[in-house]
Amino acid sequence: MSSDLRIGALGFVMIAVCYGFARFAFGLFLPQIDAELELGSTISGVISGGSFTGYCIAIVASAVLSERLGARAVATAAAAVAAVGMAGIALAPTPLLLAVAVLVAGSSTGLASPPMAAAVEAVVRKDCQDLTNTVINAGTSAGVTLSGLVALAMVGQWRIAFGLFAAIAFLLTLASARWLPTARRRQGANGSLTLNKPLLQLIAASFLMGAASTAVWSFGGKIVSEQLDWDASSTGWLWACLGAGGTVGACAGSLVRRFGVNRVHLTFLGLMSAAILAVGSGTNMLALALAGGAMFGTAYVMLTGVYLVWGVGLLPHRPATGLMIGFLTIAVGQTCGAPVFGLLMAEQGMSVAITGFVGLALVAGLFRYDAGGKFSPNGQ
């Protein structure tokens, strides 16, 4: 297998495990976990926010360590942390210990992405880097799809499911230590970072999109179980559709090069808004909710791919840091958004929370890529 394919394949699995299992599967299994541990909407939101907090801390550390220690060491650590966190979720006897385990598992996601961007920059041909990065990023979809299928096969057995996820993460740890390159920052790359207008535009857009996304990532399972009276099996189908839709996100790099960052950005923010409305409409139509899940998966993975290309484009000689900026602010938005959505849902009702978070996604479209049009044909 060529080095390009090896990096792409291993990175795809890394993101599938750390994002799809360690971070986003919690929202899928939340109704089952809530029933056993009696969390409630507000505590559920705080725990979900804790996962995103762990991610925020870890992704900053990961960007720095990837430049200093190299991709192999940091990515291997990410897989190991995912294994430990998900084992903790599987064994957690109380809400407090569950919260700690979710925090640890969520941290693995922050550790995973920057070293993969650094590995791609070091090993993959320049003309294939955007495509490889966005294919790796689409691993989230595979992980979400698989977690949905596991939920269908293990209805009511959320502890066994997370134990299985932990075992897969352990195997990934061994593979990462064996096959990833030791890729460090190039000599001469600037160690300082200027917070200029182009970076602030990226930060604002990714923050708002991240906050809006928690309506489905953290509460999608709870929304359909309460509003549509779905059982755990039906919720698993929602997650499978969400993940399947997200596979389209692998095309983000190609679409951005053809149509420009801003057009792709606006299009998929609109699709995300429509998807949140479809999932939370309260209309007892199976097809509508499942279509909404698929649309959300497509929009979310596409938008994270856009922010990846956006950030790396602004800092081409520091890809780990460029990726970190966009992905960090997505997670900061999710850290803030999850508890706010939970509080709104508890105090004002589901429809108010959903409407407000649809608005956040639309407002994100006000911010534009403006760094000389490198990925933006005709100035778009």
Side-chain angles (χ1 to χ4, degrees), residues 273-335:
S273 300
I276 295 171
L277 287 173
V279 171
S281 66
T283 303
N284 194 17
M285 293 176 59
L286 178 66
L288 179 62
L290 294 181
M295 288 191 300
F296 180 86
T298 298
Y300 183 85
V301 177
M302 186 66 70
L303 288 166
T304 57
V306 167
Y307 297 136
L308 189 162
V309 174
W310 190 338
V312 172
L314 294 177
L315 297 171
H317 300 299
R318 300 184 63 185
T321 300
L323 178 147
M324 179 271 291
I325 292 170
F327 280 30
L328 170 63
T329 48
I330 290 171
V332 172
Q334 291 167 329
T335 301

Side-chain angles (χ1 to χ4, degrees), residues 14-25 55 109 112-113 140 144 327:
M14 176 73 67
I15 298 305
V17 169
C18 291
Y19 280 78
F21 295 169
R23 186 174 175 195
F24 291 132
Y55 175 93
T109 318
S113 294
T140 300
V144 170
F327 280 30

Side-chain angles (χ1 to χ4, degrees), residues 179-248:
W179 286 312
L180 277 176
T182 301
R184 296 182 176 87
R185 188 175 70 192
R186 291 178 178 178
Q187 286 188 341
N190 187 4
S192 62
L193 185 64
T194 302
L195 201 61
N196 54 21
K197 183 180 178 181
L199 285 176
L200 290 173
Q201 294 271 355
L202 170 60
I203 288 168
S206 54
F207 174 86
L208 291 168
M209 189 283 285
S213 73
T214 57
V216 174
W217 281 131
S218 296
F219 291 94
K222 196 170 184 66
I223 288 171
V224 295
S225 66
E226 289 188 4
Q227 292 213 147
L228 306 180
D229 197 27
W230 285 12
D231 58 18
S233 175
S234 298
T235 305
W237 282 116
L238 173 68
W239 237 246
C241 288
L242 195 156
T247 58
V248 179

